[in-house]
Amino acid sequence: MKFVVVVGSHRSNSQSSKVARYLGRQISELVPRVSTFHLDLARTPLPMWRESDDAQKDNFESIWPQISDELLACDALVVVAPEWHGMVPPALKNFFLHCDGELANKPGLIVGVSAGNGGAYPISELRMSSYKNSRICWIPDHLIVRNVEDVLNDSSELTTASEGKLRQRAMYCVRLLAEYAKGLSLVRSSGVVDLVAHPFGM
């Protein structure tokens, strides 16, 4: 089984990347025979999506094919989305614009991140607008990491009682995502999916 973990922050060494590393370790520990590919959009920025633009073609073709191959080969997606001004960062929205069938009928887990007590808006935004043409299947559960600077740090010690609950929830979400990955693999192999005749959602 293969998981892709996407860090949606533009910032280098972001708190979102810290959360992604933590979840990557959880995936390795909890999911048998798993491999993980990390895509940090600060370290690997994608050109802004345009319907047709020869000027960006060379740059895009040097970056996207490997990412596309990793996405095509994956069974599940984890998206770590910081809340900036109540919104998903533009690099993450841009990522989904580039996806063209790679994520179709694959389960995804949304992880909202906030420096304070927020973090819910990215969940709502991604559930509302990112699935239509990408065909990603967000699982019903999600994770919100609030006061992110204080939690999921390299130390194994818990800073608060609520961090213990957060870690338990993270374990639950990873295990659940793995089960959805098994189930949705049957949908993809059923022969029913036809993205040629029906490339766009409604």
Side-chain angles (χ1 to χ4, degrees), residues 23-99:
L23 292 170
R25 292 193 296 271
Q26 291 293 301
I27 291 166
S28 297
E29 292 173 9
L30 298 171
V31 182
R33 297 178 298 281
V34 70
S35 63
T36 307
F37 174 75
H38 283 257
L39 173 61
D40 190 325
L41 295 176
R43 294 170 182 257
T44 310
L46 299 175
M48 291 301 291
W49 181 86
R50 296 188 178 102
E51 188 171 10
S52 177
D53 188 346
D54 291 336
Q56 77 162 2
K57 187 175 180 181
D58 290 342
N59 184 31
F60 180 69
E61 288 185 348
S62 69
I63 296 173
W64 184 252
Q66 180 194 358
I67 296 170
S68 178
D69 288 346
E70 296 286 355
L71 295 173
L72 284 167
C74 84
D75 299 286
L77 184 77
V78 177
V79 172
V80 182
E83 183 176 289
W84 289 1
H85 296 271
M87 297 181 289
V88 169
L92 186 51
K93 300 286 280 189
N94 185 51
F95 165 77
F96 281 104
L97 288 171
H98 284 299
C99 292

Side-chain angles (χ1 to χ4, degrees), residues 39-183:
L39 173 61
D40 190 325
L41 295 176
R43 294 170 182 257
T44 310
L46 299 175
M48 291 301 291
W49 181 86
R50 296 188 178 102
E51 188 171 10
S52 177
D53 188 346
D54 291 336
Q56 77 162 2
K57 187 175 180 181
D58 290 342
N59 184 31
F60 180 69
E61 288 185 348
S62 69
I63 296 173
W64 184 252
Q66 180 194 358
I67 296 170
S68 178
D69 288 346
E70 296 286 355
L71 295 173
L72 284 167
C74 84
D75 299 286
L77 184 77
V78 177
V79 172
V80 182
E83 183 176 289
W84 289 1
H85 296 271
M87 297 181 289
V88 169
L92 186 51
K93 300 286 280 189
N94 185 51
F95 165 77
F96 281 104
L97 288 171
H98 284 299
C99 292
D100 186 24
E102 293 93 344
L103 302 176
N105 300 294
K106 296 179 181 181
L109 169 67
I110 306 173
V111 182
V113 173
S114 174
N117 290 320
Y121 285 111
I123 309 291
S124 299
E125 185 175 350
L126 288 171
R127 287 193 186 282
M128 178 178 67
S129 64
S130 62
Y131 73 93
K132 176 182 172 287
N133 289 349
S134 74
R135 306 300 178 91
I136 185 78
C137 297
W138 299 119
I139 68 172
D141 285 83
H142 57 257
L143 197 64
I144 302 178
V145 182
R146 297 186 167 106
N147 300 303
V148 65
E149 293 180 8
D150 299 329
V151 298
L152 306 184
N153 291 308
D154 292 334
S155 171
S156 59
E157 295 182 9
L158 302 180
T159 56
T160 63
S162 62
E163 184 178 0
K165 293 180 180 178
L166 172 65
R167 293 189 183 205
Q168 289 293 321
R169 184 80 179 190
M171 292 173 60
Y172 170 73
C173 286
V174 166
R175 288 191 176 113
L176 187 62
L177 183 62
E179 294 303 314
Y180 271 96
K182 294 176 189 175

